[in-house]
């Protein structure tokens, strides 16, 4: 047998339908795909052999909702109301955004994501072509969308037609890329006119790409939409025929029973962002209820300015604990379910479950290896418990995306992290000057 990369001596969590776990397992990669999983073959040749050293081998994590250039706004202002935070800090800065700032912020986030086990992310922001370029440089898989709304955009200006044109151009530009995928990104039901929502659906159907939206994040949003249209945001989107298996809805915090039924009926994909919801005091999404209804609920961090990092290991830990305390029941959101949310359910949310999200022969080789030879990961009775309740992003030793090693023994292969940090610090000084 011949491989380009062989991983041996690993505790492999396949996250496949049977949830197979392979002790002392071997995973072979040929070009961009997984070509072998099982016991170590007696005879094989590989260009690179990685000794997992009894560490955990699992599918690369999927961050199903983020705004990665916002890493440059991390910690700009904290512990104030959402209204004050947006009006006094975020919006004034976003008015001055430019492509270079977005690019550096995106690179900084790509470095952070690779170093904490994320191999695929789903993004909405401005100047998204720069996000695509950064992802490409990092060797990361992504689904990106240009944020569309009623207000002037720092990228396409005040004519929404230019926003549609930019979206079409992005889709065309990246349509044959192996890593970069493009979606349509109407921001929210309350910041987008009916016209933008209808047009987004039209473009998404024309190109057969997903739609990314924020939905029912706050009580205020639900109130506003009810006053405007006499129905909940979910019912409003349903009446506009936006609910579909290709709709990726972030947050879904304030849902009625009927809203959840509509989400289920239309197979809408939900993204849970527990840390952001807690930090902004938005509320607790009914995730256990949605999961028990069979709704696909994935996991996201949201932007770094409201989290304040992109570490999905921390997000898994928080997701599990938030719902346990909320229900006063330690059995809800068990560890296996939470790991699924960050892997196979994330892939499903992005429409990529046939190619990523689990370790199976024939799937794309997006693989991470955790170094478990650490005090806080010893002993290791159950790998799922260790991942959700003990591990942190910094435990990821190797990351492989599309069959290429992007981090080896915690050294980034594709990105110059020192230069990126230096550039990011320079932009932070500029941002501080804008606010003064
Ligand atoms: Zn968001």
């Amino acid at each position: 047998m011949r491989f380009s990369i062989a991983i041996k001596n690993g505790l492999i969590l396949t996250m496949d339908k049977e949830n197979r776990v392979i002790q002392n397992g071997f995973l072979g990669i040929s070009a961009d795909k997984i070509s072998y999983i099982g016991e170590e073959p007696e005879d094989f040749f590989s260009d690179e052999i990685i000794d997992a050293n009894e560490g955990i081998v699992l599918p690369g994590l999927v961050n199903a909702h983020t705004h990665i250039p916002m890493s440059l706004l991390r910690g700009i202002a904290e512990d104030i109301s959402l209204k004050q935070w947006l009006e006094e800090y975020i919006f004034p800065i976003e008015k001055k955004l430019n492509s270079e700032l977005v690019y550096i912020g995106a690179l900084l986030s790509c470095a952070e994501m690779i170093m904490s086990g994320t191999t695929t992310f789903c993004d909405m922001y401005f100047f998204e072509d720069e996000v695509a370029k950064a992802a490409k440089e990092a060797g990361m898989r992504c689904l990106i969308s240009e944020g569309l709304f009623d207000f002037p955009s720092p990228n396409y200006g005040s004519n929404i037609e230019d926003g549609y044109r930019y979206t079409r151009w992005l889709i065309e530009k990246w349509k044959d890329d192996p890593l970069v995928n493009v979606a349509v990104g109407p921001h929210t039901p309350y910041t987008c006119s009916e016209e933008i929502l209808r047009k987004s659906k039209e473009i998404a159907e024309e190109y057969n790409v997903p739609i990314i939206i924020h939905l029912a994040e706050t009580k205020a949003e639900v109130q506003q939409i009810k006053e405007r249209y006499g129905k909940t945001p979910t019912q409003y989107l349903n009446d506009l025929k936006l609910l579909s298996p290709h709709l990726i809805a972030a947050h879904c915090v304030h849902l009625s029973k009927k809203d959840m039924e509509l989400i289920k009926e239309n197979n809408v994909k939900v993204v849970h962002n527990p840390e952001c919801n807690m930090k902004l005091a938005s509320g607790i999404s009914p995730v256990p209820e949605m999961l028990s209804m069979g709704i696909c609920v994935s996991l996201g961090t949201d932007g770094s300015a409201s989290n304040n990092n992109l570490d999905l290991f921390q997000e898994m830990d928080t997701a599990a604990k938030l719902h346990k305390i909320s229900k006063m029941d330690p059995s809800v959101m068990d560890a296996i379910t939470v790991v699924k949310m960050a892997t196979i359910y994330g892939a499903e949310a992005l429409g990529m479950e046939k190619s990523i999200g689990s370790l199976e022969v024939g799937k794309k080789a997006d693989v991470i290896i955790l170094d478990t030879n650490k005090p806080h990961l010893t002993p290791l009775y159950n790998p799922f418990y260790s991942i959700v309740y003990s591990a942190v992003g910094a435990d990821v030793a190797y990351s492989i995306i599309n069959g290429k090693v992007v981090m080896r023994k915690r050294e980034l292969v594709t990105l110059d992290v020192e230069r990126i940090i230096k550039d990011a610090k320079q932009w932070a000084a500029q941002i501080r000057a804008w606010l003064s």
Side-chain angles (χ1 to χ4, degrees):
M1 276 186 219
R2 199 187 166 95
F3 307 111
S4 44
I5 302 169
I7 301 168
K8 58 181 227 176
N9 195 19
L11 175 55
I12 302 178
L13 311 188
T14 61
M15 305 312 294
D16 66 6
K17 286 216 167 60
E18 292 82 41
N19 201 21
R20 278 186 310 144
V21 174
I22 304 166
Q23 304 269 359
N24 195 17
F26 181 100
L27 186 144
I29 295 168
S30 303
D32 60 348
K33 290 196 178 72
I34 297 168
S35 54
Y36 179 92
I37 301 179
E39 285 179 13
E40 183 171 330
E42 278 183 14
D43 192 22
F44 73 92
F45 175 84
S46 182
D47 298 331
E48 178 169 4
I49 299 173
I50 296 171
D51 186 348
N53 198 16
E54 297 178 350
I56 298 170
V57 180
L58 79 159
L61 306 182
V62 179
N63 189 342
H65 180 70
T66 187
H67 313 278
I68 67 166
M70 291 186 90
S71 55
L72 288 181
L73 309 184
R74 175 182 2 237
I76 191 86
E78 304 294 358
D79 310 325
I80 52 177
S81 75
L82 176 62
K83 190 171 184 293
Q84 191 187 2
W85 183 73
L86 287 172
E87 289 175 1
E88 291 179 24
Y89 297 92
I90 304 301
F91 291 159
I93 294 167
E94 288 186 340
K95 270 190 195 135
K96 297 192 178 200
L97 277 186
N98 57 53
S99 56
E100 200 190 331
L101 185 154
V102 166
Y103 174 67
I104 298 299
L107 278 181
L108 183 68
S109 290
C110 285
E112 184 188 348
M113 286 190 285
I114 292 173
M115 295 183 84
S116 55
T118 294
T119 54
T120 299
F121 66 93
C122 178
D123 204 67
M124 177 201 286
Y125 208 57
F126 314 108
F127 302 96
E128 279 285 318
D129 189 45
E130 302 300 322
V131 174
K133 284 184 202 160
K136 191 77 186 155
E137 204 175 317
M140 288 193 78
R141 200 180 297 283
C142 62
L143 176 66
I144 59 155
S145 67
E146 183 73 14
L148 303 171
F149 47 39
D150 296 330
F151 313 104
S153 152
N155 181 18
Y156 60 78
S158 50
N159 183 357
I160 188 63
E161 292 297 328
D162 292 328
Y164 304 144
R165 257 191 286 279
Y166 185 84
T167 297
R168 286 173 184 280
W169 171 78
L170 262 188
I171 296 170
E172 292 280 352
K173 177 176 174 182
W174 294 98
K175 71 174 190 290
D176 297 321
D177 194 88
L179 293 173
V180 177
N181 304 277
V182 181
V184 185
H187 184 247
T188 68
Y190 69 99
T191 51
C192 291
S193 65
E194 226 178 280
E195 166 63 23
I196 293 181
L197 295 171
R198 284 184 202 281
K199 192 75 188 174
S200 294
K201 175 175 146 55
E202 195 184 304
I203 298 171
E205 282 174 358
E206 183 186 334
Y207 290 98
N208 195 24
V209 299
I211 296 177
I212 300 168
I213 199 164
H214 295 92
L215 180 63
E217 181 176 359
T218 63
K219 264 192 185 147
E221 170 191 341
V222 177
Q223 194 60 34
Q224 203 176 330
I225 294 289
K226 274 188 177 166
E227 277 164 20
R228 241 191 258 175
Y229 307 104
K231 43 194 139 180
T232 68
T234 309
Q235 286 153 20
Y236 170 58
L237 291 189
N238 184 52
D239 290 348
L240 291 174
K241 306 218 165 13
L242 253 83
L243 299 190
S244 86
H246 309 294
L247 185 72
I248 303 165
H251 298 299
C252 297
V253 174
H254 299 280
L255 300 176
S256 67
K257 184 86 183 90
K258 175 148 181 254
D259 291 338
M260 286 190 268
E261 280 162 7
L262 286 172
I263 286 171
K264 167 68 185 159
E265 270 166 35
N266 292 283
N267 195 9
V268 171
K269 307 304 192 295
V270 171
V271 190
H272 182 37
N273 303 273
E275 291 194 357
C276 169
N277 296 156
M278 290 166 76
K279 187 157 177 277
L280 299 176
S282 303
I284 303 174
S285 171
V287 174
E289 289 85 343
M290 287 193 277
L291 286 168
S292 69
M293 288 169 76
I295 293 169
C296 172
V297 186
S298 56
L299 203 59
T301 56
D302 213 339
S304 279
S306 52
N307 186 294
N308 284 3
N309 61 46
L310 302 169
D311 184 345
L312 277 175
F313 286 90
Q314 286 184 24
E315 208 71 34
M316 283 192 268
D317 185 49
T318 304
K321 289 174 182 164
L322 170 63
H323 297 284
K324 290 178 197 301
I325 188 66
S326 156
K327 301 283 180 212
M328 291 298 280
D329 177 357
S331 71
V332 297
M333 295 286 273
D334 62 90
I336 292 178
T337 299
V338 175
V339 178
K340 282 184 181 170
M341 288 170 71
T343 54
I344 189 65
Y345 295 169
E348 198 183 329
L350 274 48
M352 299 182 185
E353 72 279 10
K354 289 200 173 74
S355 54
I356 59 163
S358 59
L359 302 178
E360 294 177 70
V361 169
K363 277 197 166 183
K364 298 286 185 190
D366 290 9
V367 187
I368 59 173
I369 305 174
L370 266 68
D371 176 3
T372 54
N373 292 295
K374 296 185 174 185
H376 69 282
L377 294 174
T378 304
L380 201 149
Y381 294 118
N382 177 314
F384 294 98
Y385 301 165
S386 296
I387 288 173
V388 175
Y389 302 115
S390 309
V392 292
D395 296 325
V396 179
Y398 286 85
S399 177
I400 297 165
I401 306 175
N402 212 37
K404 290 209 166 62
V405 177
V406 294
M407 183 172 70
R408 187 180 278 118
K409 293 183 181 169
R410 292 212 53 77
E411 291 287 327
L412 289 177
V413 176
T414 48
L415 298 174
D416 179 351
V417 72
E418 280 171 30
R419 183 186 60 81
I420 294 167
I421 289 173
K422 196 165 155 251
D423 290 347
K425 284 180 177 172
Q426 273 176 7
W427 273 107
Q430 176 66 62
I431 290 167
R432 208 175 278 133
W434 285 342
L435 288 173
S436 63

